[in-house]
Amino acid sequence: SLSLSAEKSSILHRIKESYLVWINIMPHIPKSNRYSIGLRIENKFLDLLEISYTAYFTQKTDKAEKISDCIFILDVIKFLISTAWEGKILTHRQYGEIALKLDEVGKMLGGWKKSLKPI
């Protein structure tokens, strides 16, 4: 249906928005952490973008597995970001901004996965 496809593309859009928030944070991360945990988070974001894009175009039979992969990568990103925040690599404001975006993405991915289950 049209609304479902619009919903899926809005998930891709929201993931992209989250990544754009992250790349605006990256230059402000201390150099000693930017190329370790900062780069690791960035690479995970790129994985999430790629796999969510792939999920969007995957046949319905394999879609749930791809979306589960997205949810797992998202959870890793959240874990790394909270670790960076606890290590005072991110400010409260930076953490709040990115965490809010990632929570929205998580809810949307969960909804997308749930929409695939037979009723």
Side-chain angles (χ1 to χ4, degrees):
S1 72
L2 183 63
S3 65
L4 197 59
S5 121
E7 181 190 331
K8 287 176 199 160
S9 67
S10 74
I11 292 170
L12 296 177
H13 179 74
R14 197 59 56 92
I15 292 169
K16 194 164 44 170
E17 276 181 354
S18 303
Y19 174 64
L20 295 174
V21 167
W22 179 251
I23 61 173
N24 285 320
I25 291 171
M26 273 286 279
H28 305 287
I29 293 174
K31 232 180 213 150
S32 57
N33 304 113
R34 194 178 312 151
Y35 301 105
S36 54
I37 194 165
L39 195 58
R40 186 84 174 138
I41 292 166
E42 177 153 352
N43 287 329
K44 286 290 171 193
F45 262 116
L46 293 172
D47 291 344
L48 180 60
L49 276 167
E50 183 180 341
I51 293 174
S52 60
Y53 184 80
T54 306
Y56 186 68
F57 293 104
T58 297
Q59 288 185 313
K60 194 167 184 176
T61 51
D62 303 321
K63 220 176 260 287
E65 188 183 340
K66 286 276 183 234
I67 296 168
S68 292
D69 292 345
C70 290
I71 291 167
F72 177 74
I73 293 169
L74 179 67
D75 288 345
V76 171
I77 292 171
K78 287 178 174 181
F79 175 71
L80 291 172
I81 285 176
S82 72
T83 302
W85 176 66
E86 287 170 28
K88 303 198 181 340
I89 297 163
L90 299 178
T91 66
H92 292 303
R93 189 190 60 75
Q94 289 168 331
Y95 177 73
E97 187 181 10
I98 195 77
L100 187 68
K101 291 270 186 213
L102 294 175
D103 283 344
E104 290 172 0
V105 169
K107 287 180 185 141
M108 293 172 91
L109 285 170
W112 188 11
K113 189 175 177 188
K114 203 178 279 183
S115 76
L116 297 172
K117 289 200 172 118
I119 298 165

